[in-house]
Amino acid sequence: MPTDIAELLSQLTTEEKVSLLAGGDVWRTMAIERLGIPAIKVTDGPNGARGDSTTGARAVCLPASISLAASFDSTLVGEVGALLGRETARKGSHVLLAPTINLAKHPLGGRNFESFGEDPHLTAAMATAYITGVQEIAGVGACAKHFVANDVEYARLTVSSEVDERTLREVYLQPFEAAIRAGVWTLMAAYPKLNGHYCTEHHWLLTDLLRNEWGFDGLVMSDWGATHHAARSINAGLDLEMPGPAQALGPKLLAAVENGDVSLEVLDQRAGRVLDLVQRSGRLGVMDEAPEQSVDLPDERALARRASAAGMVLLRNSGVLPFKPEVVKSVAIIGPNGDPGVIQGGGSAQLPSHHLVSPVAGLAAVFDSVSFEPGCLAHRYLPLVPDDAWVGEGESRLRRELFAGDDFNAEPTLRKATRSLFSLVMGPVEGLPDPMKWSQRFTGSLRIDTAGAHQFSVFAVGSSRLFIDGELVVDNWTNSTPGDGFFQKASAEVIGRIELEPGVVEVVVEWTRNDDDQLAGIRFGWLPPTDEDAMMASAIAAAAAADVAVVVVGLDADWETESHDRPMFGLPGRQDELVRAIIAANPNTAVVLNAGGPVDLPWLDAAPAALVAWYPGQEFGTALADVLSGAVDASGRLPVTFPRRLADAPTYLDVPGDDDRVHYRDALHVGHRWYDAREIEPLAEFGFGLSYANFDIGEPSLGEPTTADSVGGTLTVSVPVENTSERDGTCVIQGYLEPPRGAHRRPIRQLATFGTVHIPAGGSATMRLQIEPRAFEIWSSVHAWHAPSGRYRLQIATSSRVFIHHLYIER
């Protein structure tokens, strides 16, 4: 430990040391001013740096991690990481709570979009590049999360992930071990239990493995609210409870120290790691916090656009793509996600972006004539009110009043303009007699354009109700029932209906928070009278009249979000019906899937073209136009398997779990390995993706020596590639290692290496792929890594099912 930290520790009282081990508020550690120890501020990621979420500061919204992984481009992910590091610094923060390096284990996983996909090797490589990029920025560190086996959202606060040690070592720990090798500053311990013990209290995980075996010298913090017991967590190896103020630690930890349940030596170790984080951040003696900044730069928009396009995966193309602007003059954009489009998933990953380029706006900048028809509805909750439906200008469209307690007849303690009746608040509101007891009233004038039965809804963490022109329309106050919104802390959505005529109505929403929860939130929805049959007919007519049709369907942040898994495999609403109708109406149709993970695509074989856009960030429309027009090659590859049926998935019988357990019975056969082992044909295999260019992949050659040594023996495989087409393109090559037959049960093959190379038309390049010794090794029954001897075959491939060449490696 550095001398200055040792000196600081010697000057701290026991009470001060204890105070350092729990947050001061939602996003900051505790400061100790008398010794010049400042608070360290953290910010949510992974597709941006949000700041503390109360300042209104906007941020660059980058593609979701699953989209970044689909690029199979570590260099690009490193560039994105560096941008995120700069954004973290601009938000006055010192730690970015990212990357998420759990696996997309189950097709319906609520946070699949936050992951780098289903494969441990791909995830480890992406995590390494991401972390290295973030930590290039002085004073900024990354936080790899969620350690470990938090791969679905089912009952995540109480569930036990049941995983055998070999599977844990070879699959789920692999990305975290890579993060440690990359020098990540901090780790976040997960909510679930691992084999019966909370991850925040798991001594083997946090001390035996992480500290003693891997040599991790950084800080371990809890996920927000994941700390349960003072002595057990601190003795296991947890350094920091988040958020603050302390719930499980604080006074309870002080009592544990005083009665001898936690030793002073252990307390010093934990406090020392908090001080080490302060020092790494360059913050010792710097007490002032930098103000949050919203910086919107052209070169960063360009990187966001490039990253978004690089992750888009062309699943099918009968020859209709690319749509050349000199030939295609009219484009009909169809589908509920066509305007404005969904740029990010839900939960802690959400942030207010600088701007949003919709598919309509993006394609309108390239093609002469662009029309839009939604075609159908696809919402989970009633849609949020569009900004332009409120009468007024800018931020003054809505008025927000804050009351101490729950008396709406009292004088408000705060009056403020706001832009949305969607609010999320974490932690107390300072300046009130009781900072956890308060209420809010929102008032605004809503423009009504259509006569008929309008639907309104409201739900909140706490009690809520809605008045239209003084009439109570939604009562979610007196008989609220539990729902799954706001991290499963909100009441269920209650919908009320009222007949309205065109004009302006006054909307009043009252909400009193549940003071038992750190988090508070409210959501207001509105759906005017809607004729879906007429919507469908208008969409079909628009598609038939245009040169080409682009159907943008998918999910959104209500369907895919932290705290719960998706309830269905198919697309919600009548979206499948809409896709089939548009394909029938226009033979030049491209279907765009705007979602964060695998979805049932029953119409795929009939689609002239299909593209997976994921959640692509703020440059959705510009990037989509780049790929559809051919300005950029289609180069993304699937980082997850798309099964034909949910029943084909390796986790089908195990998720959701039962009796508060999720059994990892697929063991080593995660993702594409399962489909190979069971000889199941997927809808689209891992690593698959089409290109507009054509490539000739030559015979691979193995660099000297021809055998891999387990001590530092990284292998290099050279693969010549020629672009045989008349356009520039991007070639993605994957290497799958097949073990020799023997006594050890192993996957048939597993991803061991990959690379991406950009080649101009008619050009050539040599791709050099590297294979680490760990690719040959298994975790043996004697609790050690071991590389079985024999003849391994390396398949040079363009997906997990399409093999071009192979070579043998003797061990």
Side-chain angles (χ1 to χ4, degrees):
M1 188 176 292
T3 304
D4 52 350
I5 291 180
E7 291 173 355
L8 277 174
L9 276 172
S10 70
Q11 297 177 53
L12 288 168
T13 66
T14 299
E15 290 80 1
E16 288 170 332
K17 293 173 185 176
V18 166
S19 74
L20 287 176
L21 306 190
D25 62 20
V26 177
W27 305 114
R28 295 164 183 84
T29 63
M30 284 291 290
I32 300 177
E33 292 193 17
R34 75 177 185 86
L35 293 176
I37 301 170
I40 292 296
K41 181 180 173 185
V42 303
T43 177
D44 266 327
N47 56 294
R50 185 176 59 203
D52 70 7
S53 74
T54 63
T55 66
R58 295 189 171 271
V60 179
C61 183
L62 291 154
S65 294
I66 201 162
S67 176
L68 295 178
S71 72
F72 275 69
D73 189 338
S74 300
T75 301
L76 175 64
V77 172
E79 291 182 63
V80 168
L83 193 164
L84 287 165
R86 294 192 295 272
E87 278 282 86
T88 301
R90 291 167 187 159
K91 297 302 183 288
S93 300
H94 318 103
V95 175
L96 179 70
L97 301 176
T100 299
I101 54 178
N102 304 111
L103 301 187
K105 180 176 176 62
H106 183 59
L108 306 185
R111 298 179 87 171
N112 281 347
F113 65 91
E114 278 193 59
S115 76
F116 291 121
E118 73 187 22
D119 186 85
H121 177 78
L122 178 64
T123 298
M126 295 292 105
T128 297
Y130 185 107
I131 290 164
T132 302
V134 168
Q135 295 184 173
E136 286 178 2
I137 309 306
V140 174
C143 178
K145 62 183 188 180
H146 309 86
F147 191 55
V148 62
N150 185 180
D151 304 295
V152 293
E153 291 297 281
Y154 164 76
R156 65 174 182 165
L157 300 181
T158 56
V159 74
S160 178
S161 299
E162 301 292 314
V163 198
D164 68 88
E165 187 179 0
R166 184 181 171 196
T167 297
L168 193 65
R169 293 270 192 170
E170 294 187 28
V171 178
Y172 300 97
L173 287 172
Q174 183 180 341
F176 289 96
E177 189 175 1
I180 302 308
R181 291 197 302 269
V184 70
W185 284 14
T186 69
L187 285 184
M188 182 186 292
Y191 284 117
K193 299 169 187 172
L194 175 64
N195 297 325
H197 299 280
Y198 280 113
C199 288
T200 53
E201 300 173 8
H202 207 298
H203 191 277
W204 176 85
L205 186 66
L206 301 184
T207 295
D208 296 341
L209 175 75
L210 185 61
R211 302 289 183 191
N212 299 339
E213 184 178 328
W214 289 354
F216 179 58
D217 64 354
L219 176 140
V220 177
M221 69 180 74
S222 73
D223 205 339
W224 268 227
T227 312
H228 302 277
H229 189 276
R232 288 200 299 265
S233 59
I234 291 298
N235 287 332
L238 187 73
D239 300 311
L240 177 64
E241 175 193 5
M242 289 299 287
Q247 300 294 311
L249 302 187
K252 295 176 183 177
L253 175 57
L254 182 59
V257 172
E258 290 173 343
N259 66 27
D261 290 339
V262 174
S263 70
L264 290 173
E265 179 184 6
V266 168
L267 182 65
D268 280 358
Q269 289 175 354
R270 306 294 178 261
R273 289 191 186 117
V274 176
L275 295 176
D276 182 61
L277 180 60
V278 174
Q279 185 184 63
R280 285 189 183 194
S281 306
R283 295 281 297 165
L284 279 176
V286 182
M287 301 305 294
D288 293 336
E289 182 176 287
E292 296 199 354
Q293 303 176 61
S294 294
V295 178
D296 187 9
L297 300 176
D299 62 332
E300 293 182 352
R301 284 194 179 193
L303 175 57
R305 177 176 181 172
R306 181 159 53 92
S308 177
M312 293 185 180
V313 181
L314 187 60
L315 285 186
R316 181 172 169 81
N317 187 16
S318 64
V320 299
L321 289 178
F323 294 143
K324 297 179 180 178
E326 62 270 23
V327 175
V328 172
K329 299 303 179 185
S330 59
V331 179
I333 300 179
I334 309 295
N337 287 31
D339 191 30
V342 180
I343 65 172
Q344 57 189 327
S348 58
Q350 283 186 301
L351 54 86
S353 63
H354 288 304
H355 71 147
L356 185 165
V357 183
S358 69
V360 169
L363 270 69
V366 175
F367 297 95
D368 289 349
S369 174
V370 172
S371 62
F372 170 67
E373 293 288 342
C376 68
L377 302 173
H379 57 267
R380 182 170 191 174
Y381 311 121
L382 292 190
L384 296 172
V385 179
D387 283 352
D388 59 4
W390 295 109
V391 177
E393 297 295 328
E395 297 288 340
S396 65
R397 290 171 177 163
L398 281 167
R399 298 178 299 283
R400 177 169 69 93
E401 296 170 298
L402 177 70
F403 300 85
D406 57 5
D407 183 3
F408 289 100
N409 294 317
E411 184 68 19
T413 62
L414 173 72
R415 289 187 176 93
K416 188 177 181 181
T418 186
R419 65 188 307 272
S420 174
L421 225 166
F422 177 94
S423 177
L424 179 63
V425 180
M426 293 190 72
V429 174
E430 301 302 330
L432 300 179
D434 184 338
M436 298 296 287
K437 270 189 171 294
W438 47 263
S439 303
Q440 292 193 40
R441 180 164 59 209
F442 298 85
T443 305
S445 297
L446 185 65
R447 188 180 66 253
I448 303 299
D449 295 327
T450 307
H454 289 248
Q455 298 180 60
F456 293 92
S457 72
V458 65
F459 64 85
V461 182
S463 301
S464 56
R465 57 195 174 204
L466 162 70
F467 300 87
I468 303 291
D469 285 340
E471 177 183 346
L472 179 64
V473 175
V474 178
D475 182 1
N476 206 346
W477 193 285
T478 53
N479 293 301
S480 295
T481 59
D484 56 15
F486 292 113
F487 307 97
Q488 295 188 320
K489 293 180 178 292
S491 57
E493 181 182 38
V494 174
I495 298 174
R497 292 168 175 81
I498 183 172
E499 292 285 336
L500 296 175
E501 296 295 328
V504 175
V505 298
E506 184 184 65
V507 175
V508 175
V509 174
E510 293 179 342
W511 163 42
T512 184
R513 69 164 295 161
N514 181 354
D515 56 319
D516 293 332
D517 286 306
Q518 284 271 333
L519 177 145
I522 188 168
R523 188 187 190 282
F524 168 70
W526 171 46
L527 183 65
T530 303
D531 184 342
E532 276 201 90
D533 289 337
M535 291 172 65
M536 186 82 66
S538 295
I540 293 169
D547 293 339
V548 300
V550 176
V551 189
V552 189
V553 292
L555 304 167
D556 62 21
D558 291 331
W559 292 108
E560 292 189 289
T561 185
E562 180 178 353
S563 81
H564 60 79
D565 297 318
R566 253 167 47 208
M568 75 292 177
F569 185 42
L571 292 172
R574 297 171 63 180
Q575 292 186 89
D576 287 332
E577 178 187 351
L578 176 66
V579 170
R580 290 190 177 100
I582 301 306
I583 290 171
N586 192 321
N588 298 312
T589 292
V591 185
V592 177
L593 178 64
N594 182 199
V599 175
D600 187 24
L601 306 177
W603 37 260
L604 181 62
D605 292 342
L611 184 78
V612 182
W614 313 107
Y615 293 137
Q618 65 181 40
E619 303 298 327
F620 185 3
T622 49
L624 182 63
D626 287 342
V627 174
L628 292 181
S629 69
V632 170
D633 186 25
S635 61
R637 302 294 184 264
L638 290 180
V640 288
T641 302
F642 274 51
R644 287 193 178 276
R645 309 176 306 153
L646 184 60
D648 292 339
T651 51
Y652 179 67
L653 295 178
D654 292 326
V655 179
D658 60 274
D659 195 26
D660 257 359
R661 287 179 172 85
V662 171
H663 294 276
Y664 283 47
R665 278 185 274 246
D666 51 339
L668 303 175
H669 296 87
V670 63
H672 57 95
R673 303 174 183 184
W674 170 268
Y675 296 89
D676 290 343
R678 302 291 294 175
E679 297 183 349
I680 298 171
E681 189 67 27
L683 181 68
E685 72 268 21
F686 175 87
F688 176 77
L690 301 173
S691 172
Y692 296 144
N694 298 313
F695 302 98
D696 183 7
I697 299 173
E699 291 279 354
S701 60
L702 187 64
E704 296 292 338
T706 57
T707 59
D709 184 78
S710 61
V711 182
T714 299
L715 287 176
T716 299
V717 178
S718 298
V719 184
V721 184
E722 181 181 357
N723 184 345
T724 60
S725 57
E726 297 180 355
R727 60 157 296 141
D728 299 348
T730 300
C731 182
V732 178
I733 295 179
Q734 301 150 48
Y736 294 86
L737 194 64
E738 298 178 353
R741 292 185 179 182
H744 302 286
R745 186 174 184 181
R746 303 182 70 173
I748 293 172
R749 65 186 62 88
Q750 59 195 60
L751 183 70
T753 186
F754 63 89
T756 301
V757 61
H758 308 281
I759 307 176
S764 61
T766 298
M767 187 178 295
R768 289 180 171 81
L769 307 175
Q770 298 210 319
I771 306 176
E772 300 295 332
R774 181 59 62 79
F776 298 90
E777 296 176 339
I778 64 171
W779 186 253
S780 71
S781 58
V782 297
H783 304 287
W785 289 105
H786 166 64
S789 61
R791 197 183 200 202
Y792 293 76
R793 180 163 69 169
L794 181 70
Q795 295 277 15
I796 301 300
T798 55
S799 78
S800 63
R801 291 285 175 105
V802 179
F803 309 127
I804 309 300
H805 298 290
H806 67 264
L807 56 78
Y808 290 100
I809 303 169
E810 295 289 343
R811 288 287 305 178

